[in-house]
C-alpha cells in the first residue's frame, strides 16, 4: 500500500527537493539559520518558539517565524503580539508545508523586515507526526517536540520523525507528575532510533530547561556562520 | 497549492469511496457497528477504546479493534491482553487508513472470531488531525478525541476533522486544573463548526464521564440495528 503512495507523490517530492536546494542556497547567502519545528498538534510548538526567541534575544539574535496551519492565523497573531515578525501560511487542508510555500513566505519576510535583519527563521510546521518529514524545506535543523501527555510510546509508533530530528525536546515536563510517562522507556527508544540528536527536557511555558536548549541552539547558529 | 494535491490524490479517493461503499454494505449485512476513532497522537484513542469496551460488555455488546499505526504492534498487543480481538495494520509510513486496508483487516477478524460474534468494530486510525478525514472507511460513526493538554484552540486550527465528527470526546479532563484550557472558547468554536455532534468530557483512564458516552454509543448501535 505504501509503495503506491510513494509512486504518486514522487513528482512532488523531487520538485520539492529542487526548491529546498534553492532555499538552502538562499539561506546560506543571507546567513539565515532556519529551524523546522515539528510535533503533534498541541505539543507546544508556538510556546517553545516564543520562549526560545526571548532567550535568543539575550544573545542579540533576531528571530522571525513562518506559521504553517491548515486554517486560521491565531499563531501568527500571537507572534506579532510578541514583537516577532511572522508570516502565516494557510495550507488549505494540506497536511504539511512544502518548499514553494516557504519560498513565498521568505519573500514576504524579505520585503517586510529584510532577511539581513533576521538571524533565525523558525518554521512552525503543521501539527503532524507523519507527513512533514518527507518535505525538506531547506532548513539547517529539524527539531522534534514531544509533550509528556502524549506518552512515552510515541517514538515507537512514529519512528520516522524521531529518526529525522536533529534535536528532540520533551515538553510539558512541569506536568509529568500527573502522567504515567516512562522516561527510561522513552530514552531507550531514542537511543535506538537516533542516539546522535541531543535531547532536552523542558517546560516552554514555565521556562524550565529552556536555557540549555537555547544555548545549544546558539552554538549551532554560530557554527554555521563561522 | 491545495488544488494540486486534490488532483493527484483523486484516483485514490474515488477508489476508496467504492471500497467504503462495499464495506458499508458488508457491515450492514453482518449487523456490525463500526466506529472510526480519530485524534492526534497521544490523545487517548487506545485507552478510550479499552474503557468503552469494558462498559459495552456490561450491555452484552462484544467489541473488536482494528489498529492502524505507522509502525509497531503495541496497541494490538494491549487490546489482546484486555481480551479484545484485534488486528494490526502497519501503514508503512502512510499517514491514514484506507478502505483496502480495512477490507483485509475485516477478513482477518472474520476468519479469526467471525463477524457474527462481533457487535462493534473500533478502527483506531493513525494519530493525525488532517489526512484521515478524506478516507471514508465505511464506518457508522466518526468519533474525534481531543485531549485537554492539546489546547482549546485545536478546533480553530484543524476545523475539518471537527466538522466531520459524529461525536467529540474531550479527554484527560482529570488533568484540566494543570492546563490553561478555556472550555468556553472550545465550546464556542464547536458551536460554530459542528453544533449537531454531541460532546462528552471524559477521562478514559480514570473512568470519568465514560458512562454517558457509552450509553449514547449504545443507543446509536441499537438505532442502526432496529
Amino acid at each position: 500500500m505504501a509503495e503506491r503512495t510513494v509512486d504518486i507523490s514522487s513528482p512532488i517530492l523531487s520538485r520539492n527537493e529542487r526548491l529546498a536546494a534553492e532555499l538552502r542556497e538562499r539561506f546560506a547567502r543571507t546567513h539565515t539559520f532556519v529551524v523546522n519545528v515539528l510535533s503533534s498538534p498541541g505539543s507546544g510548538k508556538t510556546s517553545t518558539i516564543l520562549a526560545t526567541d526571548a532567550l535568543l534575544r539575550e544573545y542579540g539574535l533576531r528571530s522571525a517565524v513562518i506559521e504553517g496551519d491548515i486554517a486560521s492565523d491565531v499563531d501568527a497573531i500571537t507572534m506579532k503580539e510578541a514583537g516577532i515578525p511572522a508570516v502565516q501560511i494557510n495550507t488549505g487542508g494540506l497536511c504539511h508545508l512544502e518548499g514553494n510555500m516557504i519560498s513565498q513566505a521568505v519573500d514576504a519576510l524579505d520585503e517586510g523586515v529584510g532577511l539581513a535583519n533576521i538571524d533565525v527563521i523558525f518554521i512552525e510546521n503543521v501539527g503532524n507526526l507523519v507527513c512533514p518529514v518527507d518535505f525538506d524545506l531547506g532548513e539547517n535543523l529539524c527539531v522534534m517536540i514531544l509533550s509528556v501527555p502524549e506518552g512515552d510510546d510515541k517514538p515507537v509508533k512514529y519512528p520516522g520523525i524521531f529518526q529525522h530530528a536533529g534535536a528532540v525536546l520533551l515538553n510539558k515536563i512541569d506536568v509529568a507528575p500527573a502522567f504515567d510517562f516512562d522516561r527510561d522507556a522513552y530514552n531507550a527508544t531514542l537511543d535506538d532510533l537516533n542516539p546522535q540528536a541531543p535531547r532536552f527536557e523542558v517546560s516552554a511555558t514555565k521556562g524550565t530547561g529552556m536555557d540549555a536548549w537555547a544555548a545549544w541552539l546558539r552554538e549551532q547558529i554560530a557554527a554555521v556562520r563561522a
Side-chain angles (χ1 to χ4, degrees), chain A residues 56-77:
Chain A
L56 292 182
R57 281 181 196 219
E58 295 178 15
Y59 297 131
L61 295 169
R62 296 155 301 177
S63 311
V65 178
I66 298 173
E67 290 291 345
D69 280 293
I70 303 290
S72 94
D73 58 354
V74 292
D75 286 342
I77 291 169

Side-chain angles (χ1 to χ4, degrees), chain A residues 103-118:
Chain A
S103 288
Q104 292 174 36
V106 171
D107 287 346
L109 282 176
D110 200 17
E111 286 162 24
V113 288
L115 285 189
N117 299 310
I118 300 170

Side-chain angles (χ1 to χ4, degrees), chain A residues 86-201:
Chain A
V87 174
Q88 181 75 50
I89 298 171
N90 277 149
T91 66
L94 198 62
C95 51
H96 59 272
L97 295 176
E98 296 183 12
N100 57 343
M101 306 173 193
I102 301 302
S103 288
Q104 292 174 36
V106 171
D107 287 346
L109 282 176
D110 200 17
E111 286 162 24
V113 288
L115 285 189
N117 299 310
I118 300 170
D119 300 299
V120 186
I121 297 176
F122 292 96
I123 301 173
E124 183 172 342
N125 219 308
V126 177
N128 184 328
L129 288 196
V130 190
C131 315
V133 175
D134 291 329
F135 292 87
D136 184 355
L137 305 178
E139 70 271 7
N140 299 90
L141 172 71
C142 266
V143 59
M144 166 68 208
I145 306 176
L146 177 71
S147 63
V148 165
E150 295 171 70
D152 53 75
D153 62 349
K154 290 303 156 296
V156 174
K157 290 175 151 184
Y158 302 87
I161 200 160
F162 286 91
Q163 281 171 323
H164 186 72
V168 182
L169 269 61
L170 179 62
N171 192 22
K172 308 191 189 178
I173 55 157
D174 54 310
V175 296
F179 292 91
D180 193 21
F181 189 95
D182 185 338
R183 276 187 174 83
D184 291 341
Y186 163 76
N187 280 309
T189 309
L190 287 184
D191 287 346
D192 279 345
L193 289 175
N194 189 347
Q196 295 82 20
R199 299 166 209 165
F200 301 91
E201 298 197 357

Side-chain angles (χ1 to χ4, degrees), chain A residues 11-27 29 97-104 106-107 135-139:
Chain A
I12 294 181
L13 284 176
S14 60
R15 195 178 83 110
N16 191 73
E17 278 171 32
R18 205 175 57 245
L19 282 165
E22 288 172 16
L23 281 166
R24 194 164 275 114
E25 283 172 30
R26 181 175 187 181
F27 296 143
R29 273 198 310 276
L97 295 176
E98 296 183 12
N100 57 343
M101 306 173 193
I102 301 302
S103 288
Q104 292 174 36
V106 171
D107 287 346
F135 292 87
D136 184 355
L137 305 178
E139 70 271 7

